Amino acid sequence: MKTVLLFLATLFCFGLSAQQNNLFQLTKQEKTDLFKAIETDSLFASFVKDTSNALELYKQYKINVMKSDSTWNNDQQRLFKIQNFGYTNKFELIPLVENLNDGKTFRKAGGISYLIRTDNFTILFDTGIDDDSIECVLRYNLDLLGIDVCEIDAIVISHNHGDHQNNWKWINDKTFINSKNKSILPEMNIFVPCDSLNLKIPALLFNDPTKICKGVYTTGIIKAPLFFWPTQEQGLIINVKDKGLIIVTGCGHQTVDKLLLRCKRISDLPIYGILGGIHFPIYGDSEKYMGYLITGRLPWEPLTVSDVNKKIELIKKQNVKLIGISTHDSSVKAIEAFKKAFSKEYKDLKTGAWIVVK
């Protein structure tokens, strides 16, 4: 009897696996669209390399989308409002790495890095990525601003893309060396977005929204099923007294929609502002030559100005009082649309330029 039951269970699992596999097989139309994109988009073709690899990438993308949606829905149902969120009277954010700078001789790097100060705590959010010929850009800009690296209490890395974690070089270089020539990393909490990183330093990974300090939480890990380089990302949510919640993002691969929904899920406080990258590279616009490939959409269905305007309307419904979009991952037309829509609320994110709310 046990043998029969085992056989039936095995047969059932095999049938279920086959059914799932068929679910992710590409339809004739999907293959046609894929092959057309390879023929007409040389950049896309260079990334997929060959037809068989392209087919596998598309299939894996479909699988990742399903898994991401499932995880997101489960998490949203499971999470509750955070009781006693806490608040800070002061919020200060200064970009240490950004696409624009405030006129001084800051060194330039890719990606973003923001220093965030609350009443009694300082957070470094992301690290940017060094230019091939210049090391420790983050530290150089800190020193130029006269900010002591020892002020930093915690590091939060949004996601595991090189332009936000500098390929983890800062673990071993001089970025976090104090005046006594010792690393300060062992003394602080380092919040990472994924496991299996083998960083060789203590690091914290929490899937759910997690308290960093009084009035500051992570958004929790939210999966981003990109066609190329799928990732998962966390942002920060800061409650400023008598103002509301400020969302700080790295690239926004988890989408504006989900960031807003996550805030609403864990708090009834109003959303006061959004600062950081939200990844709106409009196809064919300015120098964002490859950003359209990693928007979370299919590469041959890139973002348009109309798409960006829809997201602007979504944000406008929150009645935000502060917004600043990173130019490292959003194109000129997208930035212009935000500046026009939020003429009074918009703040440029520039290396060395403080944004203060209190």
Side-chain angles (χ1 to χ4, degrees), residues 60-73:
Q60 190 59 52
Y61 169 76
K62 292 178 68 175
I63 293 172
N64 289 341
V65 168
M66 188 204 72
K67 289 182 177 179
S68 172
D69 289 345
S70 176
T71 300
W72 166 256
N73 290 330

Side-chain angles (χ1 to χ4, degrees), residues 102-128:
D102 198 32
K104 292 185 179 180
T105 55
F106 295 106
R107 286 181 178 169
K108 193 170 183 179
I112 64 106
S113 178
Y114 303 148
L115 190 79
I116 299 167
R117 288 174 175 163
T118 64
D119 291 341
N120 301 298
F121 207 81
T122 301
I123 302 165
L124 182 71
F125 184 71
D126 284 352
T127 64

Side-chain angles (χ1 to χ4, degrees), residues 11-25 66:
L11 189 64
F12 173 78
C13 291
F14 177 79
L16 183 61
S17 177
Q19 185 179 19
Q20 289 178 333
N21 188 57
N22 289 333
L23 180 65
F24 301 120
Q25 292 302 318
M66 188 204 72

Side-chain angles (χ1 to χ4, degrees), residues 136-269:
C136 302
V137 171
L138 168 61
R139 179 59 182 266
Y140 178 89
N141 289 344
L142 270 171
D143 292 343
L144 188 62
L145 288 162
I147 299 173
D148 187 349
V149 70
C150 294
E151 177 188 328
I152 300 170
D153 297 299
I155 297 174
V156 179
I157 301 298
S158 64
H159 63 297
N160 194 30
H161 284 172
D163 58 338
H164 292 261
Q165 36 79 332
N166 201 15
N167 296 318
W168 307 102
K169 291 190 294 184
W170 48 270
I171 293 173
N172 298 308
D173 67 17
K174 297 182 180 180
T175 301
F176 295 101
I177 298 297
N178 63 16
S179 59
K180 296 180 181 179
N181 204 34
K182 291 185 178 180
S183 173
I184 63 173
L185 293 176
E187 302 170 12
M188 66 175 73
N189 289 329
I190 301 171
F191 297 83
V192 296
C194 51
D195 55 10
S196 303
L197 293 173
N198 193 28
L199 299 182
K200 298 181 180 178
I201 58 170
L204 302 170
L205 170 64
F206 298 101
N207 286 317
D208 290 353
T210 299
K211 185 176 181 179
I212 304 293
C213 62
K214 183 181 177 183
V216 181
Y217 280 77
T218 68
T219 60
I221 302 295
I222 302 175
K223 293 183 180 297
L226 310 178
F227 194 93
F228 296 107
W229 313 295
T231 189
Q232 51 189 33
E233 187 167 349
Q234 61 185 344
L236 293 177
I237 304 173
I238 301 99
N239 181 28
V240 183
K241 186 179 180 181
D242 299 329
K243 304 292 185 183
L245 304 177
I246 296 176
I247 304 169
V248 179
T249 73
C251 254
H253 288 305
Q254 64 271 66
T255 74
V256 167
D257 309 59
K258 288 183 177 179
L259 284 168
L260 296 176
L261 287 170
R262 178 55 54 88
C263 281
K264 295 295 184 182
R265 184 61 179 171
I266 65 174
S267 176
D268 289 325
L269 293 164

Side-chain angles (χ1 to χ4, degrees), residues 264 311-320 342:
K264 295 295 184 182
K311 300 304 179 184
I312 286 174
E313 290 305 311
L314 180 66
I315 296 172
K316 270 186 168 291
K317 290 179 181 179
Q318 308 304 318
N319 195 30
V320 298
F342 299 98

